[in-house]
Amino acid sequence: MRRLRQFAADFGWPRIIIFFFLVALFFAAPLVGVRVDASLSDVFNRFGQNAFFVLALVPMIQSGCGLNFGLSLGIIAGLLGATLSVQLGLHGAVGFAGALVLSAPFAIIFGWLYGKLLNKVKGEEMTIAMYVGFAGVMFMCIMWLLLPYTAPDMIWGYAGHGLRTTISVENYWIHILNDFLEIRIGPFFRFPTGEILFAAFGAWLMWLFLRTKTGTAMTAVGSNPDYARASGISVDKMRTISVVISTLLGAAGIIVYQQSFGFIQLYNAPLAMPFTAIAAILIGGASVKKASMLNVVVGTFLFQGLLTMTPSVINSWLQTDMSEVVRIVVSNGIIIYALTRKTKVSK
Amino acid sequence: MSGQRSLGRFLRENAVILLFLIVTVLAIRPSGLSLVYIGQEMITRLGRDSFLVLALLLPIYAGMGLNFGMTLGAMAGQFGLILAVNYNLLGVCGLVFAALVSLPVSLLMGYICGVVLNKAKGREMVTGYILAFFVNGVYQFVVLYLMGSVIPVRSKAIVLSRGYGIRNTLNLDGVRQTLDNLLPLRVGPFVLPILTFLVIAALCVFIIWFKKTKLGQDMRAVGYDMHVAESAGVPVDRTRIIAIIISTVLATIGQIIFLQNMGNMATYNAHDQTSFFAVAAILVGGASVKKATIPNVFIGVCLLHVLFVVSPGAGQKLFGEAMIGEYFRQFIGYGVIALSLVLYAWRSRREAERLREGLRGGAAEGGGK
Amino acid sequence: MSGTVLDPKVKTRRLLVRLGLLLVYVGVIALVFTFGKGHTLILDNKDSDDGSVKAIESLSVSVDGQDPLDLAAGERDQAKVQGQGHRVEVTVKDGQKVERRFTVPLAEDILLLSLPRLLAGQPAVTVFVPLDVAAPAEDQEEGNSNAFTSPSAPAEPAVPGAPAKPPAP
């Protein structure tokens, strides 16, 4: 009994509550006419879609930079890579890889500059990150209109220039990961094996990285900066590296997201994405100062599960579309809950 | 020698204001708008927005940073306006009714916000920001689903055609500009909404008076250093909550003033930009996260809004696209908040380092970097 | 905040003050409600239902000092007013000006004012029951379009005075 209670305390009551709530929703689903296999399929799909974003938050949390509200910058780098890939007419696996490769230089530059900025404002990173992210997205809105893209699939037909708000990747690299080794059970259940494998691969790499010399140095900088400094580690350098990695993962994340979602979303779309990632990792048990792979996996699964199941069950039950309201309340409620906890370290 | 140093300091401390002035002046010409038009716009917006920005002062004073939770107060005010329109109440009476009816909601919102922020000390601004989104969800739920079904609404005209939920845009003709037009004063080509200005002036007087009361002094102590204040016997948590409650109530009234000037209300969106504009305005006016004065408010409103007025036109001229003006506007808005926050954080770190150097006797080396 | 000898007195005083404030609060709300309530007055120049009073040939009427409205016999027009008590000035064809005052019940939105009856000194204000008016259908359906997306950071800022701009080109 005591072991059980200890486990509960470690795991965190909120996570347990949400886990049982989610299970309850899965049980309730067939009672209100929602197919469990379709829902599970949805959840796995969204898990794969979002896993990289959540993973991207880990380096900066570990290095003490807080929650990366400026993930939008990484997303923008990814968008640049994706649009360039489409512009160059790259298809299939080449297109996907191309997007990743093309976004990398942008991500590194953005991350480096962003990291330098954050180093100058230690202590107030989160709010500044938010607004730098917003300003960046707005700046890119101007850029999307001005940059000399020419591929007819992407630009406004009427005006002749300027990128559209959403660009379909149907002819390029849609579902390139999802369909790889896809498992189908029945007409409703599709398990996007490729996507999940890719996400698992990313998580594994991160896990390895955190055990390298640089990785441990990064963690040291976050948990005990004075000790780190005394050991000769450059705090600023580690922080900048963490920001660059975070931005790179954000870029990769949006590309993975796009191949699953089917569209490249420009303009205002990146504004909301950091928040969903942050909610996910916080519900996974991470704190502002510490995050692990378990947090990422559990958090993404629980959060996306919640976001998928709650609206669909409630909608079917009440016969009305309340999905948006539910989404807002749930995701933000979780973030607030996490922000109001005393910083306790959880696995 | 010292003259140069103080010029440098002046430039650094007022960097944001100066930057804004330069960009604004540069943008006036290409925008193609006359100075009279800009001047009148400035007067109108001063009347419309100042109250909301003034609502931010007390939380900054109490050391809680920028109160992004003011949106909660704005939502309470909108709720009151919906009721006023529902009962077909006109004129200033309608506005007063809206303000009074939203008062209990506003007080509750402020209390909740204060309690939540107390639990997130050191992270107030982010928490306030997210809390605003959270309560937005609750607001949507109440206004979109409960009103008209569980909450009786007598005016069918404001309900969606599906039978429940309030319409997307609420026509505020009944109270449109009634506060502004009650005592208009014509000065040359400009029209001044005197009553609105009087209300704003009254708030300024209230704030100045409040800072001198014991409660005001308590807030100052809490803002300066929470631990010191606590050991001096100041009820820190309670004082912080009161600061937020006052701010929320002021935001409610401010939002009502704002909406009566606009003339119609986007039921589900009107409050989205409230905190953004108010925060941007006060930061542009030279305030920081820890220090804000009444002049900051007015300077900020003028500068920010003049730039907002001229930038679409300037964007159009310079880039050939009207939408660019819009994005440019937002970019400047977010950019200025980011810039101000960065400058403030940078400055306070330099202060802290200088203090540390001083403590170490100056001669010793600081910790390795 | 330690208890002093005066504590019970202070407590009752505080309670009284708070009750007083509550009364003032409710009172002011009632006040602004009464003075702010808007009504639509349908001005009627028809024969009364029972035929006792005839319509006036042609008249011009000004309600609460608003612009005068012309009504021939059998016509109707409407005026929007605020509050309970109102003043009506009727000018008949031969230039005679007559002034009358009346009050309007608080709860009703639309009221019928029969001018012939008013001038004859009979009770003239009745409740008007409109035929079912379909609410204007042009408004967009559903809660909302853009701003709903989750912690959706701000959409475009509202342009003052003009209706909200539609989203990007």
Side-chain angles (χ1 to χ4, degrees):
Chain A
M1 200 57 207
R2 272 200 73 190
R3 294 253 334 248
L4 210 64
R5 207 177 297 172
Q6 182 65 25
F7 171 75
D10 273 347
F11 197 65
W13 278 107
R15 279 196 284 173
I16 295 186
I17 295 175
I18 293 189
F19 175 69
F20 278 114
F21 184 59
L22 197 57
V23 169
L25 282 176
F26 268 106
F27 272 109
L31 298 175
V32 292
V34 175
R35 291 199 61 106
V36 177
D37 53 2
S39 306
L40 265 180
S41 181
D42 249 342
V43 175
F44 281 123
N45 198 8
R46 292 169 83 135
F47 175 82
Q49 268 181 349
N50 288 284
F52 264 90
F53 288 137
V54 186
L55 197 60
L57 299 175
V58 175
M60 278 177 68
I61 293 177
Q62 289 290 104
S63 74
C65 293
L67 303 165
N68 186 11
F69 280 97
L71 190 64
S72 335
L73 294 178
I75 296 179
I76 291 173
L79 289 175
L80 280 167
T83 44
L84 279 176
S85 161
V86 172
Q87 171 72 27
L88 293 175
L90 305 173
H91 293 260
V94 178
F96 181 75
L100 286 175
V101 166
L102 287 166
S103 68
F106 292 112
I108 295 178
I109 298 177
F110 290 164
W112 190 76
L113 287 171
Y114 179 37
K116 280 243 140 23
L117 178 66
L118 286 186
N119 280 340
K120 290 227 168 349
V121 295
K122 297 197 183 80
E124 198 56 62
E125 294 96 342
M126 292 201 275
T127 335
I128 291 179
M130 218 186 334
Y131 282 99
V132 169
F134 288 165
V137 173
M138 285 303 140
F139 179 71
M140 284 315 294
C141 285
I142 302 180
M143 286 295 117
W144 299 132
L145 284 173
L146 292 180
L147 288 173
Y149 284 96
T150 52
D153 275 354
M154 298 199 297
I155 54 183
W156 295 104
Y158 192 70
H161 64 272
L163 291 172
R164 294 189 209 157
T165 317
T166 37
I167 301 170
S168 165
V169 289
E170 208 174 320
N171 303 327
Y172 294 87
W173 28 272
I174 190 174
H175 282 166
I176 193 75
L177 284 184
N178 286 15
D179 293 342
F180 181 73
L181 293 184
E182 191 187 38
I183 299 175
R184 273 194 220 214
I185 304 177
F188 289 106
F189 184 78
R190 304 169 69 145
F191 187 80
T193 323
E195 198 181 41
I196 307 277
L197 280 180
F198 197 66
F201 179 62
W204 180 67
L205 279 181
M206 174 63 68
W207 186 82
L208 280 181
F209 172 73
L210 285 176
R211 273 157 184 73
T212 64
K213 188 148 159 266
T214 322
T216 31
M218 199 181 285
T219 311
V221 163
S223 49
N224 199 338
D226 292 322
Y227 168 75
R229 217 177 293 136
S231 313
I233 303 174
S234 161
V235 171
D236 280 2
K237 194 160 145 229
M238 284 301 126
R239 285 169 56 110
T240 315
I241 293 182
S242 76
V243 175
V244 171
I245 297 181
S246 182
T247 315
L248 275 168
L249 285 174
I254 187 66
I255 297 178
V256 170
Y257 183 92
Q258 278 161 190
Q259 62 83 33
S260 168
F261 187 62
F263 292 95
I264 301 177
Q265 296 165 292
L266 300 174
Y267 298 95
N268 284 335
L271 287 174
M273 293 179 184
F275 294 96
T276 47
I278 287 171
I281 206 170
L282 288 177
I283 199 55
S287 75
V288 179
K289 281 203 187 305
K290 203 160 190 307
S292 71
M293 293 306 107
L294 184 67
N295 296 147
V296 171
V297 172
V298 171
T300 314
F301 191 78
L302 282 179
F303 186 65
Q304 290 300 332
L306 213 57
L307 240 44
T308 319
M309 293 302 295
T310 324
S312 81
V313 170
I314 291 189
N315 285 359
S316 288
W317 178 41
L318 292 178
Q319 285 301 310
T320 182
D321 184 16
M322 293 179 79
S323 47
E324 281 305 328
V325 173
V326 170
R327 202 167 306 198
I328 295 176
V329 170
V330 167
S331 58
N332 288 300
I334 290 176
I335 300 182
I336 290 180
Y337 179 78
L339 283 172
T340 51
R341 295 302 101 198
K342 295 217 189 320
T343 30
K344 205 154 49 132
V345 174
S346 67
K347 279 232 292 262
Chain B
M1 190 56 155
S2 72
Q4 235 182 0
R5 184 115 49 97
S6 51
L7 180 65
R9 271 197 68 195
F10 177 77
L11 283 177
R12 254 203 313 272
E13 303 222 329
N14 299 306
V16 178
I17 300 183
L18 290 172
L19 185 70
F20 239 73
L21 264 175
I22 296 175
V23 175
T24 308
V25 168
L26 282 178
I28 291 184
R29 253 304 198 69
S31 71
L33 296 169
S34 72
L35 283 178
V36 171
Y37 178 78
I38 296 179
Q40 179 64 53
E41 275 293 307
M42 196 163 88
I43 293 175
T44 310
R45 286 165 190 246
L46 268 173
R48 191 177 77 198
D49 300 311
S50 306
F51 207 99
L52 280 169
V53 186
L54 286 167
L56 292 175
L57 283 178
L58 282 178
I60 296 179
Y61 198 57
M64 303 178 78
L66 302 164
N67 183 19
F68 288 107
M70 69 183 300
T71 319
L72 275 64
M75 288 190 260
Q78 285 172 205
F79 180 71
L81 272 174
I82 293 177
L83 287 179
V85 171
N86 177 35
Y87 289 118
N88 192 22
L89 300 178
L90 312 172
V92 179
C93 291
L95 295 177
V96 175
F97 176 82
L100 289 177
V101 161
S102 23
L103 195 60
V105 181
S106 183
L107 289 170
L108 180 67
M109 289 286 117
Y111 179 73
I112 292 177
C113 188
V115 169
V116 169
L117 289 187
N118 270 344
K119 289 222 158 120
K121 291 200 180 83
R123 297 197 281 262
E124 287 94 344
M125 293 203 278
V126 177
T127 312
Y129 192 78
I130 304 286
L131 185 63
F133 280 127
F134 176 75
V135 177
N136 185 23
V138 177
Y139 172 84
Q140 312 270 24
F141 174 66
V142 170
V143 177
L144 185 57
Y145 294 99
L146 292 185
M147 293 199 103
S149 52
V150 173
I151 301 176
V153 170
R154 66 200 287 292
S155 168
K156 289 285 164 262
I158 62 174
V159 174
L160 289 167
S161 42
R162 69 180 182 186
Y164 61 94
I166 306 288
R167 286 186 174 270
N168 291 8
T169 353
L170 210 61
N171 193 319
L172 296 178
D173 272 346
V175 295
R176 182 175 228 270
Q177 306 201 330
T178 42
L179 188 66
D180 298 335
N181 292 340
L182 210 60
L183 282 181
L185 183 70
R186 242 164 269 271
V187 174
F190 303 117
V191 178
L192 308 173
I194 292 295
L195 190 56
T196 320
F197 284 167
L198 283 176
V199 171
I200 295 174
L203 179 60
C204 294
V205 168
F206 169 76
I207 291 179
I208 296 176
W209 167 79
F210 182 80
K211 284 188 180 176
K212 298 201 174 106
T213 65
K214 170 136 197 321
L215 195 52
Q217 293 293 333
D218 282 351
M219 279 188 201
R220 180 143 156 261
V222 170
Y224 181 71
D225 188 323
M226 278 195 278
H227 299 293
V228 168
E230 182 131 38
S231 41
V234 172
V236 170
D237 279 359
R238 197 179 87 107
T239 312
R240 283 163 58 105
I241 293 181
I242 296 181
I244 294 291
I245 290 182
I246 299 181
S247 179
T248 311
V249 173
L250 291 179
T252 305
I253 303 176
Q255 184 74 348
I256 293 179
I257 296 180
F258 174 84
L259 287 171
Q260 61 88 36
N261 182 278
M262 296 288 270
N264 55 46
M265 175 172 106
T267 318
Y268 302 99
N269 302 347
H271 49 277
D272 280 346
Q273 299 281 57
T274 307
S275 66
F276 163 59
F277 276 121
V279 166
I282 209 172
L283 288 178
V284 168
S288 77
V289 173
K290 279 265 153 74
K291 189 173 187 308
T293 63
I294 293 181
N296 287 149
V297 170
F298 295 114
I299 298 176
V301 173
C302 287
L303 280 180
L304 188 77
H305 285 278
V306 169
L307 186 63
F308 277 10
V309 167
V310 301
S311 54
Q316 170 100 18
K317 268 295 172 49
L318 293 174
F319 298 104
E321 294 249 10
M323 269 320 277
I324 293 195
E326 287 291 327
Y327 289 133
F328 182 67
R329 215 206 279 216
Q330 300 224 351
F331 169 62
I332 291 291
Y334 291 131
V336 93
I337 297 181
L339 184 65
S340 310
L341 290 173
V342 167
L343 282 176
Y344 165 70
W346 186 41
R347 240 195 313 212
S348 56
R349 289 200 65 230
R350 291 242 313 253
E351 287 288 327
E353 294 215 358
R354 227 182 298 160
L355 273 170
R356 248 187 300 162
E357 298 288 320
L359 281 174
R360 288 207 193 90
E365 279 164 331
K369 224 192 17 143
Chain C
M1 310 318 151
S2 51
T4 58
V5 181
L6 285 172
D7 226 23
K9 260 197 185 167
V10 173
K11 273 193 180 165
T12 13
R13 193 151 53 113
R14 272 206 199 139
L15 189 66
L16 283 177
V17 168
R18 288 192 184 160
L19 272 176
L21 279 176
L22 192 68
L23 280 175
V24 169
Y25 174 73
V26 173
V28 175
I29 289 189
L31 211 74
V32 286
F33 192 92
T34 322
F35 280 108
K37 186 97 174 65
H39 305 275
T40 308
L41 273 181
I42 306 232
L43 304 161
D44 182 89
N45 188 11
K46 291 191 181 157
D47 299 338
S48 70
D49 283 340
D50 55 11
S52 59
V53 185
K54 291 284 168 215
I56 301 156
E57 209 178 301
S58 97
L59 60 84
S60 133
V61 53
S62 155
V63 181
D64 289 340
Q66 290 175 22
D67 288 339
L69 301 158
D70 291 322
L71 287 174
E75 277 192 341
R76 270 184 181 177
D77 206 335
Q78 68 176 23
K80 291 210 195 297
V81 295
Q82 180 184 334
Q84 302 313 103
H86 300 287
R87 172 179 63 88
V88 138
E89 193 181 88
V90 179
T91 316
V92 247
K93 193 166 125 195
D94 53 8
Q96 250 186 13
K97 280 194 206 277
V98 182
E99 196 183 284
R100 288 274 186 278
R101 289 176 186 276
F102 62 95
T103 54
V104 161
L106 184 62
E108 302 303 325
D109 275 336
I110 310 181
L111 297 140
L112 186 71
L113 178 69
S114 165
L115 290 167
R117 288 174 67 111
L118 182 71
L119 291 174
Q122 293 184 8
V125 180
T126 47
V127 177
F128 184 78
V129 180
L131 304 158
D132 231 328
V133 183
E138 8 77 23
D139 202 357
Q140 229 177 3
E141 264 314 301
E142 250 329 278
N144 207 317
S145 46
N146 50 16
F148 255 127
T149 35
S150 211
S152 108
E156 293 97 313
V159 178
K165 277 211 175 112

